[in-house]
Amino acid sequence: MKQTSLKNNEPSNIKEYIEAHIKEIQDFNQRPIDWTIRGKKAVEDAKQYTWFADAVSRIKPQLSRSDVREYYEKGELYVGFVATLLWGYAHTNHINNFQKIVATPKEVVEKKLNNMIAELSVDPADMEDYFKNMCYGGKNHIPGLGVSFFTKVFYFTCRIHGMGTWILDSKMWNVAKAFRKAAGNPINYGLSRCKTLDYLRYCVSMNAVCHQHPEIDAGRLEAYLFEHIDEIKKFA
C-alpha cells in the first residue's frame, strides 16, 4: 500500500493539509475586520461622492463576514457592496482602483449588480458567463473592480442564492494553484492572468471539500486557508 506523508504529520499537498486540519477548520473563527484603522484618508477623500458617504455612514466600524452578508440579505445592495470593499481593505491595498470604484454612481453599480443577480437566477449553473461579464470589457464590469474584489461580491451575493462561489484574491490564488498542482495540472502564472476556467476549477475544488466534510462551514474553510496561507504556499 502506498504510504503518504500524512503518517509523518507532513502533508505533501493541499488536500492532505486540509484533511490534517479538519477539526481546526471546523472550530476556526475569523476576527471581525476593523476597516477604520487604516486608509482613513482614502475613505475621507471618497466621501466627496454622496452615495459613498451615505453608505459608509451605515456600515459598522468592525465587520465580520456575517455582517457584510446581512447587508445584502436585507436588500441594501450598495451598502453591502461598499462593506465588501472595506472588509477587503480595498481602501488600503488598492487605492487607485478604489477611487475608480467609488466614483462610479450608486445607480450604475446597483444596475450592474442587479443584472448579475438576475442572470444567476436564470441559470445558476452558468458560472462561465457570470465570471466573464464581471471582467474588464464585460457588460457587468464595474470600473476598478478586478478579480480579487468581484469574487468577494460573488461570495456574498451568490451564496444568498445557494451558489457555491468563492473569494479568489492574491492570497487565495495560492490555494487555487495548490489544488491544480495536486491534480497534476499546475498553474505557472499570476492572478492577473486568471482565466474563467481557473476560477471554475478552484470553486469545484473548494466545494468538493465542503461536500466531503459537510460539518465544515464554507466561510470557516476559506478564512482558515487565508489565515494560514504561508503554510499553503509550499504546496502551490
Side-chain angles (χ1 to χ4, degrees):
M1 180 181 296
K2 182 179 178 181
Q3 303 225 341
T4 70
S5 57
L6 256 182
K7 293 187 177 181
N8 298 321
N9 295 318
E10 295 180 1
S12 64
N13 60 57
I14 190 169
K15 293 181 179 180
E16 291 183 357
Y17 178 87
I18 291 173
E19 289 296 327
H21 295 84
I22 289 297
K23 186 62 170 65
E24 293 174 40
I25 294 171
Q26 188 176 357
D27 297 335
F28 186 74
N29 285 310
Q30 186 179 36
R31 290 175 296 177
I33 300 297
D34 188 340
W35 58 268
T36 66
I37 293 177
R38 297 181 290 167
K40 292 182 180 179
K41 185 178 186 305
V43 172
E44 289 303 313
D45 289 348
K47 287 182 180 178
Q48 65 180 293
Y49 304 108
T50 55
W51 52 85
F52 177 81
D54 178 64
V56 168
S57 70
R58 297 158 65 186
I59 295 173
K60 300 176 181 179
Q62 292 191 331
L63 288 171
S64 66
R65 286 171 186 263
S66 59
D67 291 329
V68 178
R69 177 169 174 159
E70 186 176 343
Y71 291 120
Y72 289 108
E73 289 177 333
K74 292 191 299 186
E76 298 182 77
L77 193 57
Y78 187 74
V79 176
F81 176 74
V82 173
T84 303
L85 298 177
L86 299 177
W87 179 79
Y89 284 128
H91 59 303
T92 64
N93 299 329
H94 307 270
I95 298 296
N96 290 337
N97 286 338
F98 178 71
Q99 292 170 340
K100 292 178 184 177
I101 296 167
V102 299
T104 304
K106 172 183 175 181
E107 293 76 13
V108 174
V109 172
E110 288 185 329
K111 180 178 180 179
K112 290 179 180 291
L113 294 182
N114 278 320
N115 285 344
M116 179 188 73
I117 293 169
E119 289 166 4
L120 170 65
S121 65
V122 171
D123 187 359
D126 195 7
M127 175 58 77
E128 184 171 357
D129 283 345
Y130 195 60
F131 185 92
K132 286 181 178 178
N133 287 341
M134 288 297 288
C135 290
Y136 180 78
K139 64 180 181 179
N140 295 331
H141 176 69
I142 296 169
L145 200 70
V147 174
S148 289
F149 278 88
F150 76 64
T151 57
K152 288 181 176 69
V153 176
F154 278 0
Y155 176 81
F156 290 109
T157 57
C158 297
R159 287 189 173 275
I160 294 173
H161 296 271
M163 195 170 183
T165 48
W166 297 84
I167 295 170
L168 186 59
D169 56 19
S170 58
K171 286 192 175 182
M172 295 305 289
W173 181 243
N174 289 286
V175 175
K177 290 175 65 178
F179 275 117
R180 290 280 290 275
K181 187 174 182 179
N185 185 19
I187 298 173
N188 60 3
Y189 45 85
L191 178 61
S192 63
R193 292 177 56 195
C194 174
K195 304 176 181 66
T196 306
L197 186 59
D198 296 328
Y199 183 67
L200 296 179
R201 288 177 173 174
Y202 164 65
C203 288
V204 167
S205 297
M206 293 287 276
N207 288 329
V209 174
C210 290
H211 180 75
Q212 186 176 356
H213 296 282
E215 72 276 15
I216 292 179
D217 172 76
R220 291 179 193 269
L221 172 62
E222 193 273 333
Y224 184 89
L225 296 178
F226 181 90
E227 294 292 343
H228 294 82
I229 203 65
D230 288 339
E231 298 175 18
I232 292 166
K233 285 180 180 178
K234 62 186 176 184
F235 306 127

Short mmCIF file of all heavy atoms in Angstrom, two decimals, residues 193-226:
data_model
loop_
_atom_site.label_atom_id
_atom_site.label_comp_id
_atom_site.label_asym_id
_atom_site.label_seq_id
_atom_site.Cartn_x
_atom_site.Cartn_y
_atom_site.Cartn_z
N ARG A 193 -3.62 37.05 -14.64
CA ARG A 193 -3.90 36.29 -15.87
C ARG A 193 -4.92 35.18 -15.62
O ARG A 193 -5.07 34.28 -16.45
CB ARG A 193 -2.60 35.69 -16.41
CG ARG A 193 -1.61 36.73 -16.93
CD ARG A 193 -0.32 36.07 -17.39
NE ARG A 193 -0.55 35.05 -18.40
CZ ARG A 193 0.36 34.14 -18.76
NH1 ARG A 193 1.55 34.13 -18.17
NH2 ARG A 193 0.08 33.24 -19.68
N CYS A 194 -5.63 35.28 -14.51
CA CYS A 194 -6.63 34.26 -14.17
C CYS A 194 -7.68 34.14 -15.27
O CYS A 194 -8.24 35.14 -15.73
CB CYS A 194 -7.30 34.63 -12.85
SG CYS A 194 -8.67 33.55 -12.38
N LYS A 195 -7.94 32.92 -15.67
CA LYS A 195 -8.94 32.64 -16.70
C LYS A 195 -10.23 32.15 -16.03
O LYS A 195 -10.23 31.71 -14.88
CB LYS A 195 -8.43 31.59 -17.67
CG LYS A 195 -7.09 31.95 -18.33
CD LYS A 195 -6.62 30.80 -19.20
CE LYS A 195 -5.27 31.12 -19.86
NZ LYS A 195 -4.18 31.24 -18.87
N THR A 196 -11.31 32.21 -16.77
CA THR A 196 -12.59 31.74 -16.24
C THR A 196 -12.49 30.30 -15.77
O THR A 196 -12.98 29.95 -14.69
CB THR A 196 -13.69 31.83 -17.33
OG1 THR A 196 -13.74 33.16 -17.84
CG2 THR A 196 -15.04 31.47 -16.76
N LEU A 197 -11.81 29.47 -16.54
CA LEU A 197 -11.68 28.06 -16.18
C LEU A 197 -10.90 27.89 -14.89
O LEU A 197 -11.19 26.98 -14.09
CB LEU A 197 -10.99 27.29 -17.31
CG LEU A 197 -10.90 25.76 -17.13
CD1 LEU A 197 -12.29 25.15 -16.98
CD2 LEU A 197 -10.17 25.14 -18.34
N ASP A 198 -9.93 28.76 -14.64
CA ASP A 198 -9.17 28.69 -13.38
C ASP A 198 -10.10 28.90 -12.20
O ASP A 198 -10.02 28.20 -11.19
CB ASP A 198 -8.07 29.75 -13.35
CG ASP A 198 -7.01 29.55 -14.41
OD1 ASP A 198 -6.73 28.39 -14.76
OD2 ASP A 198 -6.44 30.56 -14.88
N TYR A 199 -10.98 29.89 -12.33
CA TYR A 199 -11.92 30.17 -11.24
C TYR A 199 -12.91 29.02 -11.06
O TYR A 199 -13.21 28.61 -9.93
CB TYR A 199 -12.67 31.47 -11.50
CG TYR A 199 -13.60 31.85 -10.37
CD1 TYR A 199 -13.08 32.22 -9.13
CD2 TYR A 199 -14.98 31.84 -10.53
CE1 TYR A 199 -13.91 32.55 -8.07
CE2 TYR A 199 -15.83 32.18 -9.49
CZ TYR A 199 -15.28 32.53 -8.26
OH TYR A 199 -16.11 32.85 -7.20
N LEU A 200 -13.40 28.48 -12.15
CA LEU A 200 -14.35 27.38 -12.07
C LEU A 200 -13.73 26.18 -11.37
O LEU A 200 -14.35 25.54 -10.51
CB LEU A 200 -14.82 26.99 -13.47
CG LEU A 200 -15.61 28.04 -14.25
CD1 LEU A 200 -15.99 27.51 -15.63
CD2 LEU A 200 -16.85 28.46 -13.49
N ARG A 201 -12.50 25.84 -11.75
CA ARG A 201 -11.83 24.68 -11.15
C ARG A 201 -11.56 24.91 -9.67
O ARG A 201 -11.67 23.99 -8.86
CB ARG A 201 -10.53 24.39 -11.89
CG ARG A 201 -10.74 23.79 -13.28
CD ARG A 201 -9.42 23.57 -14.00
NE ARG A 201 -9.62 22.84 -15.26
CZ ARG A 201 -8.66 22.62 -16.14
NH1 ARG A 201 -7.43 23.08 -15.91
NH2 ARG A 201 -8.90 21.97 -17.26
N TYR A 202 -11.21 26.13 -9.33
CA TYR A 202 -10.99 26.49 -7.93
C TYR A 202 -12.28 26.30 -7.12
O TYR A 202 -12.27 25.70 -6.04
CB TYR A 202 -10.50 27.94 -7.87
CG TYR A 202 -10.56 28.61 -6.53
CD1 TYR A 202 -9.78 28.18 -5.46
CD2 TYR A 202 -11.39 29.73 -6.33
CE1 TYR A 202 -9.83 28.83 -4.23
CE2 TYR A 202 -11.43 30.39 -5.12
CZ TYR A 202 -10.65 29.93 -4.07
OH TYR A 202 -10.69 30.58 -2.86
N CYS A 203 -13.39 26.79 -7.65
CA CYS A 203 -14.68 26.63 -6.96
C CYS A 203 -15.05 25.16 -6.81
O CYS A 203 -15.53 24.73 -5.75
CB CYS A 203 -15.78 27.36 -7.72
SG CYS A 203 -15.69 29.17 -7.62
N VAL A 204 -14.83 24.38 -7.85
CA VAL A 204 -15.12 22.95 -7.80
C VAL A 204 -14.31 22.28 -6.70
O VAL A 204 -14.83 21.46 -5.92
CB VAL A 204 -14.84 22.28 -9.16
CG1 VAL A 204 -14.85 20.75 -9.02
CG2 VAL A 204 -15.88 22.71 -10.19
N SER A 205 -13.03 22.63 -6.61
CA SER A 205 -12.15 22.03 -5.60
C SER A 205 -12.59 22.39 -4.19
O SER A 205 -12.64 21.53 -3.30
CB SER A 205 -10.70 22.48 -5.82
OG SER A 205 -10.21 22.03 -7.06
N MET A 206 -12.92 23.65 -3.96
CA MET A 206 -13.35 24.09 -2.63
C MET A 206 -14.70 23.49 -2.27
O MET A 206 -14.93 23.06 -1.13
CB MET A 206 -13.41 25.61 -2.59
CG MET A 206 -12.06 26.29 -2.70
SD MET A 206 -11.04 26.14 -1.21
CE MET A 206 -11.69 27.49 -0.22
N ASN A 207 -15.61 23.43 -3.24
CA ASN A 207 -16.92 22.84 -2.98
C ASN A 207 -16.82 21.34 -2.70
O ASN A 207 -17.60 20.79 -1.92
CB ASN A 207 -17.86 23.09 -4.16
CG ASN A 207 -18.31 24.53 -4.24
OD1 ASN A 207 -18.43 25.21 -3.22
ND2 ASN A 207 -18.53 25.03 -5.45
N ALA A 208 -15.84 20.68 -3.33
CA ALA A 208 -15.63 19.25 -3.10
C ALA A 208 -15.23 18.99 -1.65
O ALA A 208 -15.66 18.00 -1.04
CB ALA A 208 -14.57 18.71 -4.04
N VAL A 209 -14.43 19.89 -1.08
CA VAL A 209 -14.04 19.76 0.33
C VAL A 209 -15.26 19.87 1.22
O VAL A 209 -15.46 19.07 2.14
CB VAL A 209 -13.00 20.84 0.72
CG1 VAL A 209 -12.72 20.79 2.22
CG2 VAL A 209 -11.70 20.65 -0.06
N CYS A 210 -16.11 20.85 0.94
CA CYS A 210 -17.32 21.05 1.75
C CYS A 210 -18.29 19.88 1.59
O CYS A 210 -18.99 19.50 2.54
CB CYS A 210 -18.00 22.36 1.37
SG CYS A 210 -17.09 23.82 1.87
N HIS A 211 -18.36 19.31 0.38
CA HIS A 211 -19.23 18.16 0.15
C HIS A 211 -18.72 16.94 0.92
O HIS A 211 -19.51 16.18 1.50
CB HIS A 211 -19.28 17.85 -1.35
CG HIS A 211 -20.15 16.68 -1.68
ND1 HIS A 211 -21.53 16.75 -1.65
CD2 HIS A 211 -19.83 15.40 -2.04
CE1 HIS A 211 -22.03 15.56 -1.97
NE2 HIS A 211 -21.02 14.73 -2.22
N GLN A 212 -17.41 16.78 0.92
CA GLN A 212 -16.81 15.64 1.63
C GLN A 212 -16.89 15.82 3.14
O GLN A 212 -16.98 14.84 3.88
CB GLN A 212 -15.35 15.50 1.21
CG GLN A 212 -14.66 14.26 1.78
CD GLN A 212 -13.24 14.11 1.25
OE1 GLN A 212 -12.79 14.89 0.41
NE2 GLN A 212 -12.54 13.11 1.76
N HIS A 213 -16.89 17.07 3.59
CA HIS A 213 -16.95 17.37 5.02
C HIS A 213 -18.08 18.36 5.28
O HIS A 213 -17.85 19.56 5.47
CB HIS A 213 -15.62 17.95 5.49
CG HIS A 213 -14.47 17.03 5.39
ND1 HIS A 213 -14.24 16.01 6.32
CD2 HIS A 213 -13.48 16.93 4.47
CE1 HIS A 213 -13.15 15.35 5.98
NE2 HIS A 213 -12.68 15.87 4.86
N PRO A 214 -19.32 17.89 5.30
CA PRO A 214 -20.46 18.79 5.48
C PRO A 214 -20.46 19.50 6.84
O PRO A 214 -21.21 20.46 7.03
CB PRO A 214 -21.67 17.85 5.33
CG PRO A 214 -21.14 16.48 5.59
CD PRO A 214 -19.74 16.48 5.09
N GLU A 215 -19.64 19.01 7.76
CA GLU A 215 -19.56 19.65 9.07
C GLU A 215 -18.79 20.98 9.01
O GLU A 215 -18.78 21.75 9.97
CB GLU A 215 -18.90 18.71 10.09
CG GLU A 215 -17.40 18.49 9.93
CD GLU A 215 -17.03 17.41 8.91
OE1 GLU A 215 -17.91 17.02 8.11
OE2 GLU A 215 -15.87 16.96 8.92
N ILE A 216 -18.13 21.23 7.87
CA ILE A 216 -17.32 22.43 7.73
C ILE A 216 -18.15 23.55 7.10
O ILE A 216 -18.77 23.37 6.05
CB ILE A 216 -16.08 22.17 6.84
CG1 ILE A 216 -15.11 21.23 7.55
CG2 ILE A 216 -15.37 23.48 6.52
CD1 ILE A 216 -13.88 20.92 6.72
N ASP A 217 -18.14 24.70 7.73
CA ASP A 217 -18.78 25.89 7.16
C ASP A 217 -17.86 26.48 6.10
O ASP A 217 -16.64 26.57 6.28
CB ASP A 217 -19.01 26.91 8.28
CG ASP A 217 -19.50 28.24 7.75
OD1 ASP A 217 -20.69 28.32 7.39
OD2 ASP A 217 -18.69 29.18 7.68
N ALA A 218 -18.44 26.89 4.97
CA ALA A 218 -17.65 27.41 3.85
C ALA A 218 -16.82 28.62 4.26
O ALA A 218 -15.65 28.75 3.88
CB ALA A 218 -18.56 27.77 2.69
N GLY A 219 -17.42 29.51 5.04
CA GLY A 219 -16.70 30.70 5.48
C GLY A 219 -15.51 30.37 6.35
O GLY A 219 -14.44 30.99 6.24
N ARG A 220 -15.67 29.38 7.20
CA ARG A 220 -14.56 28.97 8.07
C ARG A 220 -13.43 28.36 7.26
O ARG A 220 -12.25 28.57 7.54
CB ARG A 220 -15.05 27.97 9.12
CG ARG A 220 -15.98 28.55 10.17
CD ARG A 220 -16.42 27.47 11.16
NE ARG A 220 -17.52 27.92 11.98
CZ ARG A 220 -17.40 28.53 13.16
NH1 ARG A 220 -16.19 28.76 13.64
NH2 ARG A 220 -18.44 28.91 13.85
N LEU A 221 -13.78 27.58 6.24
CA LEU A 221 -12.76 26.95 5.40
C LEU A 221 -11.95 28.03 4.69
O LEU A 221 -10.71 28.01 4.72
CB LEU A 221 -13.42 26.03 4.38
CG LEU A 221 -12.48 25.45 3.30
CD1 LEU A 221 -11.39 24.58 3.94
CD2 LEU A 221 -13.28 24.63 2.28
N GLU A 222 -12.63 28.96 4.02
CA GLU A 222 -11.93 30.00 3.29
C GLU A 222 -11.08 30.86 4.23
O GLU A 222 -9.93 31.19 3.93
CB GLU A 222 -12.93 30.85 2.52
CG GLU A 222 -12.32 31.77 1.46
CD GLU A 222 -11.88 33.11 2.03
OE1 GLU A 222 -12.46 33.55 3.04
OE2 GLU A 222 -10.96 33.70 1.45
N ALA A 223 -11.65 31.21 5.39
CA ALA A 223 -10.94 32.06 6.34
C ALA A 223 -9.71 31.35 6.91
O ALA A 223 -8.65 31.97 7.07
CB ALA A 223 -11.88 32.47 7.47
N TYR A 224 -9.85 30.07 7.19
CA TYR A 224 -8.72 29.31 7.75
C TYR A 224 -7.57 29.24 6.74
O TYR A 224 -6.41 29.47 7.09
CB TYR A 224 -9.15 27.89 8.13
CG TYR A 224 -8.06 27.09 8.80
CD1 TYR A 224 -7.90 27.12 10.18
CD2 TYR A 224 -7.17 26.31 8.05
CE1 TYR A 224 -6.89 26.41 10.80
CE2 TYR A 224 -6.16 25.60 8.66
CZ TYR A 224 -6.02 25.64 10.04
OH TYR A 224 -4.99 24.94 10.65
N LEU A 225 -7.89 28.92 5.50
CA LEU A 225 -6.84 28.83 4.48
C LEU A 225 -6.20 30.20 4.25
O LEU A 225 -4.98 30.31 4.06
CB LEU A 225 -7.43 28.29 3.18
CG LEU A 225 -7.98 26.85 3.25
CD1 LEU A 225 -8.58 26.44 1.91
CD2 LEU A 225 -6.90 25.87 3.67
N PHE A 226 -7.01 31.25 4.28
CA PHE A 226 -6.50 32.61 4.11
C PHE A 226 -5.51 32.95 5.21
O PHE A 226 -4.43 33.50 4.96
CB PHE A 226 -7.67 33.60 4.11
CG PHE A 226 -7.28 35.04 3.91
CD1 PHE A 226 -7.20 35.59 2.64
CD2 PHE A 226 -7.02 35.86 5.00
CE1 PHE A 226 -6.85 36.91 2.45
CE2 PHE A 226 -6.65 37.19 4.83
CZ PHE A 226 -6.58 37.72 3.55
#
